[in-house]
Amino acid sequence: MLPVNRDQIVETLDRILEVEFSFRDTHPAAEQISCIDLETQDYVLNWIERIASTNIELAFQFANRVPEMLISTDQSTIEAWALHSMDIFDRKGLHKALQVMHESDQFMQRSHERAVGAVLEDQLPVLLPFVQGLSGRKLKIEEGELTYTDSETLFLPAVLTQLPDAKDNFRLYKVMIAFLWAQNRFGSFRIDLCSVLDAHEHAEPFLHLFQAFETERLNACLQRELPGLYRDGQSLHHLIDNLDRHNDWNNYAAPLTSESADVTTSLELTYTHFGKVTPHTPYCYQGILDPYAVATSMQARIEKEKAQLRIAIRQMIDDTEQHKNKLNESSEDEESVDDLNQDDLNQTAQTTDNQQKQLAAEEVPDNNQPDGIRIELSLDDQPIAPPENIKGLLTSIVQDLGEIPDEYLVPAGDGEYDPKLFLDQHKDPDNVWSGTYHEEGAFLYKEWDYRRQHYRKNWCAVREMSVKPVYDSFVDDTLNKYKGLIKHLRKTFEALRDEDRMLKRQAQGDGIDIDAWVEAMADAKDGSEMSDRLFTRMHRTERNIAVVFMVDMSGSTKGWINEAERESLVLLCESLETLGDRYAIYGFSGMTRKRCELYVIKEFTESYNEEVKARISGIQPKDYTRMGFAIRHLSKVLNEVEAKTRILITISDGKPDDYDNYRGEYGVEDTRRALMEARQDGIHSYCITIDKEAREYLAHMYGAAAYTVIDEVNQLPLKVSNIYRRLTT
Amino acid sequence: MSARVLKPEEYYIEEEPFYQPIGDEIEIFEAAYTQKLPLLLKGPTGCGKTRFMEYMAWRLNKPLITVSCHDDLTASDLVGRFLVSGGETVWVDGPLARAVRAGGICYLDEIVEARKDTMVVIHPLADDRRVLPMEKVGELLEANEDFCLAISYNPGYQSVLKDLKQSTRQRFIALEFDYPDIELEISIVAKESAVDHDIAVRLVKFANMTRNLKGSGLEEGASTRLLVHAGKLITSGVTPVTACKSAISQALTDDADMLTAVNELSSSLF
């Protein structure tokens, strides 16, 4: 029944907001809510309940504000506001979330801006490939307060609303990005601006003037390189900027339009004219120059890239060397090589050993490159084509330094560099937990909150962990124990593998179907119509299946369930190896959303080797059963595999269950949601469980025909392979 | 002019096709041809492999029989099969058998696409035996003096499943093709599509932008062939931005965001 009068609304609100314990006064809100029409009342109360599932205070504030907002705002904006505040609550806590609730006006204002403006986050899928396509070092894009670059990352405002039209605002992003790219590409950072500024008494106005000149130079570069973009920039400039420039300015800046002008020309002009010329109003897209940020990131990069390049060169030389040695060996094997040749070969081999390889880089003038040069590498005077990684490094180094210094081309010696210096550091997932938790380096996945009827963004921190391999006799024992069964499984699976059939009576094919032909001839003699289906064709069905097994490693599997799971995996691997299907095995376990763990037992790319066997043997019961994250992550893994059919099979012993409310309906609904997402990606899910009560919830989660309940734990190993066979034929 | 009907082995290339050598591929091909060695052309799509074959066929004055391999191509499609005609079965040579008999150049394009068993029939042809076993008729066909086998393969985008087997690849002289360097590519685009030098420069620049995106959203950058297509559209009066959109961006990707990004790149250039 719908609440119709004030008292009934008070009653409902009291229940939702748990007034019994929290002593909130719901009367003013109820008073207001009772004044709106029935349908909207229902809507409002529904949302209050949804928010209350996240936080009661938040819902209380919502109830107090929403009637007023309904007058001026449409429902979709109110929903966005409510969801946004819940997101903030998830991420930053109650205080910040209440702030969002209170500043509803600001939210409305911003959502209006977002409607007309361009939002960086939304445009990133276009802007990022755009800037990476422009050549040079691969730049990143991030949100920032100001528009500038540190020579590795472009920082841009989150929303642009300068222009009334979203399309024009996008154009502004594009030109800003291209302009920041141009600073990197055309060498704005090739002088040590920091020391120039430090030495100058009026650093700030000096930088200001320098940037004005440099901007003119880059404009000229862009006009030559990307005329279409330059036109965009000019039209935006006319639209946005106040054009109060003196004619004189153009005269001062004239030398910068020549092709030979570089950053030193800008600097010289700045010295000459400083204090005498007022620069024009900045262009709307030029952003600011932050030489200190550039210096910091550049210094780190130059060191790192020098190390990377030298190590890569060493690797390249080692590779060629090995290749040569191989060639030598193989020619030695051949009898036709006469002695003379043999000597020659040995000699060359010796000389290469004694002498250091001479690597040289030559800068070849090339007008098509922005720096006017192209780097060609040669090894002992033989030109070589550098591999991709070296090419990228060379480009980046030339961008910073304008050349390849000779000492960069000396191959790195043994242990000369500390790996920390040049490798992007990967954190060991096992170490992450030893400190306090943090989400750095983890995969973040959303989670469905059924009461909120919405996702909690970036809710689960998922890490792939390794299983400590245990080298014992477990696998052999299992193989022994199920000797007969394995033989049987191999046979049945082998039968599956070969599915070639000879199709008869085909209109086209490799051979002639004699039976059909004789019939057709008889028909022809008889005067009846002759069939044209006279051929045989070999029909080959290729199995193209990728499957992931998701194995429950929760604490409840301790004991014989764990053992049965491990035995099943051994039998499965044996069967699948016969079949040739691609498969991966992961174990899952969770302890709150901050600690969702997937244990890699076998990846797709790994073969079924001794280590995998030892890992199966090493599967240990861990914590709780959180399932949504595991399904989401493994769907991602599956989607990266090229296969016609993708299957996700869960082997579990019970309902989803974890701390922080992941139990009962919440866990079931999230798991169901994750499975639905997987289905949308074209993944078939199946569940094998030993929980006898599973029928109640599994049909809801996996669908009526997508699960099997096994009554006896010891039947699990026998059944799993058979279920798999049934599933995939 | 009405369409001419030709037997595959009568297909001689009469006019010199435009081919701009990148390295010493012509000399190597000729040497391999005289030594009766089969050839393997490696390289990304649209970089000139097929054009090179046409050019060599013209240069050697031999008929060129091209078979584009697909995943349903069987050995019979190459060797031949029995057909029924007037109450009798008649053997009909497949393109490979025709080339072997007539002494032509047989070019199997994108060989890895074909089925694994197809690959095996070319093995005896690709070593010093130079014979084609025709199991169905119970004959061995010894190759004509002039016969030459060439296959092509794109190492870039094949999955692990479709890799060329060692037993196959180790029978061939390999020629590696790649996109020509910038100057050369500009001259090729200008010559083939008759656009002026400035437009050709920009087209090549655009192609290199898309090649930068290979692996980060695009499977493959724009090939020289696509540039020539775009150039031809421009010659016929289509604006450069539209020409790039239709001839290049749309051919590269279906992804809406990527399309926008690539189109933004081309409109920045013109």
Side-chain angles (χ1 to χ4, degrees), chain B residues 208-249:
Chain B
N208 281 317
M209 287 179 173
T210 63
R211 288 168 201 168
N212 287 336
L213 287 175
K214 184 176 170 177
S216 39
L218 285 184
E219 253 177 73
E220 193 86 41
S223 61
T224 315
R225 173 169 50 211
L226 287 185
L227 298 188
V228 172
H229 288 177
K232 283 182 173 164
L233 289 185
I234 295 170
T235 316
S236 316
V238 180
T239 60
V241 174
T242 321
C244 285
K245 205 188 270 179
S246 335
I248 301 177
S249 328

Side-chain angles (χ1 to χ4, degrees), chain A residues 346-414:
Chain A
N346 286 342
Q347 233 162 28
T348 30
Q350 269 161 17
T351 41
T352 43
D353 282 345
N354 296 340
Q355 265 177 355
Q356 185 64 265
K357 287 272 178 184
Q358 268 305 305
L359 192 73
E362 196 186 347
E363 282 114 38
V364 183
D366 182 348
N367 288 332
N368 293 304
Q369 302 289 340
D371 294 305
I373 52 166
R374 186 177 68 220
I375 302 291
E376 279 183 2
L377 280 186
S378 55
L379 186 64
D380 288 342
D381 294 334
Q382 291 284 317
I384 45 166
E388 278 304 315
N389 59 340
I390 293 191
K391 250 192 239 171
L393 283 171
L394 289 177
T395 316
S396 184
I397 291 167
V398 173
Q399 227 169 302
D400 281 336
L401 306 175
E403 57 164 4
I404 303 285
D406 285 340
E407 74 261 25
Y408 274 55
L409 295 170
V410 181
D414 280 327

Side-chain angles (χ1 to χ4, degrees), chain A residues 193-212:
Chain A
L193 202 53
C194 294
S195 32
V196 171
L197 290 178
D198 292 342
H200 207 279
E201 47 183 328
H202 306 290
E204 206 175 314
F206 186 86
L207 177 66
H208 193 58
L209 184 65
F210 169 76
Q211 196 192 355

Side-chain angles (χ1 to χ4, degrees), chain A residues 88-105:
Chain A
I88 296 294
F89 176 81
D90 285 349
R91 267 189 287 158
K92 299 182 181 160
L94 182 61
H95 181 68
K96 294 273 179 196
L98 284 175
Q99 210 172 339
V100 175
M101 272 294 166
H102 290 307
E103 290 164 358
S104 54
D105 295 344

Side-chain angles (χ1 to χ4, degrees), chain A residues 125-126 129-130 132-135 138 170 174 225-229 231 368-369 509-510 512 517 521 535 540, chain B residues 74 76 81-82 84 87 89 115 117 136 182-183 202 205 209 212-213 257 261 264-265 267-270:
Chain A
V126 174
F130 175 74
Q132 298 199 332
L134 284 173
S135 86
K138 294 252 187 252
F170 168 77
K174 192 179 77 173
E225 264 313 285
L226 303 170
L229 188 111
R231 280 198 306 276
N368 293 304
Q369 302 289 340
D510 300 339
I512 289 179
W517 186 48
M521 292 311 294
F535 299 95
R540 288 178 182 83
Chain B
T74 61
S76 318
R81 54 164 55 97
F82 282 108
V84 177
T89 57
R115 287 191 180 180
D117 55 326
K136 288 208 174 117
I182 295 174
E183 286 300 326
R202 280 165 206 281
K205 244 184 213 164
M209 287 179 173
N212 287 336
L213 287 175
D257 286 335
E264 289 297 345
L265 285 171
S267 60
S268 296
L269 270 170
F270 292 101

